[in-house]
Amino acid sequence: MAEQMKPSGIDWIGDIPKSWKVKPIAYMTKSRSGGTPDRNNLLYWENGTIPWMSSGEVNKVNIYDTDEKITTLAVHHSSAKIISKNAVMVALNGQGKTKGMSAILRIDSACNQSLCAFSCNAGILYYEYLFWCFQTMYTYLRQMSGDDVRDGLAASYVKKQKIPVPKYEEQQAIADFLDKECAQIDSIAADLEKQIELLQQYKKSLITETVTKGLDKTVPMKDSGVEWLGKIPEHWDVEPIKYRVTFHNGDRGENYPSKSELQSEGIPFINAGHLEGDGLNMDNMDYISEEKYRIMGGVKLRSGDILYCLRGSVGKNAIVDMNQGTVASSLVAIRSVRISAKYLYYCLNSHIEEVQRYLWDNGTAQPNLSADNLGKYKICIPPVEEQMTIVEYLNNICSQIDNLIIGKRKQLSTIQQHKKSLIYEYVTGKKRVKEVR
């Protein structure tokens, strides 16, 4: 018979088996945060042999090596102390989704101050079981800290969190079971991700071939005079896009919206984060009031404008179907004048855009492009009627490819959700590993 359940008293855990306990992590572990030796002292870094882990490396799950090494002198004269292998490393802050992620340290290593290491008390808490607990706590930890990159997790907060604690032997059995099951799920997910990547590459290659060679393979060809374009149809031209479009920036002056002026409805105020896939993600759109929109300078969007990212995620773009809205300073609106907007959009989503973006990118650590350099991008210009024929063809074939990608992404999302549910159910005892009941 199945064991009776009891309330755990913890919202994210829910009911647990009657024989299980709930205890704070601090009662079953020893924890330590790290530090970063002085970067200006070469004696701490040059020819270092001691692994030193950064928070960005928690996405590896198992840490067998680190990107950087420090010297023995650094260990003796900084807060970056050696942590023994089998510690569970938790990121207290970091870019993107890093905060709250965890990994198992499989080597002796030091770490930076953005990580907290949890070494489990032998025979009381199994380190791999603790890792799986942190995996299912990820969203909970981020929500409790505000789920903002700028709001780091406090090590003291993580330590006091309570987790379900079965007998040690069952912890080991749960960890072994999840290792095996999740490895199979990860393999399937990796295969789906590869299929999505190949479809995306095929789509871009198809677009590139079409906007540089056309659809009629029997027409005479000529040398374009541009290395990355190669031969093009004899009746086509090659021009910088600035001769065919106008560029429109957002307001960069005193009327630029502050964070407090953004609202949940009104006139769209679009930033680079809203450019997603092949269009705009309206689910997390920012809005400004009509009054704010009226007094702002800069672009007032029209249907058919192409939004192009000049800073950060340079090259990300989308074509809009709206006649109200404006953009953040990281974007520029490209308005077609003597070219089909959708044909230009396809050119900007081809390999010829990639080549020129890397050529003109004037950023250093932060990718950066000017509208002036964007205007120098050279593209093939077929007659208007042929542009429309190409657009119709690409609309049809790209729609088919996109539908395949959407299907693969749904499969990927389903299997990722299954993995989350599986971990949660076994870590909280909703399902049991049979042989240790």
Side-chain angles (χ1 to χ4, degrees), residues 242-391:
K242 64 183 178 182
Y243 297 133
R244 299 274 173 165
V245 305
T246 55
F247 295 100
H248 304 267
N249 292 312
D251 189 332
R252 299 180 181 181
E254 61 182 11
N255 289 321
Y256 194 84
S258 64
K259 189 173 182 180
S260 63
E261 292 177 301
L262 300 179
Q263 49 192 52
S264 59
E265 56 183 25
I267 309 297
F269 179 66
I270 304 166
N271 63 46
H274 300 133
L275 275 58
E276 192 172 286
D278 293 327
L280 290 179
N281 183 349
M282 302 300 292
D283 293 338
N284 66 343
M285 182 57 63
D286 293 323
Y287 296 90
I288 54 176
S289 67
E290 291 192 19
E291 181 182 359
K292 184 69 177 179
Y293 181 62
R294 179 177 52 79
I295 65 173
M296 285 179 66
V299 66
K300 299 294 193 286
L301 293 176
R302 298 179 189 171
S303 181
D305 285 350
I306 299 170
L307 307 186
Y308 188 96
C309 186
L310 297 174
R311 294 200 303 276
S313 301
V314 175
K316 198 161 64 162
N317 63 83
I319 190 166
V320 300
D321 182 21
M322 60 176 66
N323 285 301
Q324 270 193 326
T326 190
V327 299
S329 58
S330 59
L331 300 178
V332 66
I334 307 171
R335 186 164 293 162
S336 298
V337 178
R338 297 172 50 240
I339 189 172
S340 159
K342 197 62 188 286
Y343 174 78
L344 175 59
Y345 170 75
Y346 280 123
C347 290
L348 292 175
N349 286 276
S350 69
H351 289 302
I352 60 174
E353 182 276 338
E354 280 185 355
V355 171
Q356 296 179 92
R357 184 192 338 144
Y358 292 126
L359 176 65
W360 291 111
D361 180 7
N362 56 19
T364 51
Q366 175 78 352
N368 188 28
L369 188 75
S370 68
D372 182 57
N373 283 338
L374 173 59
K376 297 174 184 177
Y377 282 15
K378 292 182 178 179
I379 61 170
C380 299
I381 311 291
V384 174
E385 298 80 5
E386 198 168 349
Q387 291 178 34
M388 302 311 294
T389 302
I390 287 172
V391 166

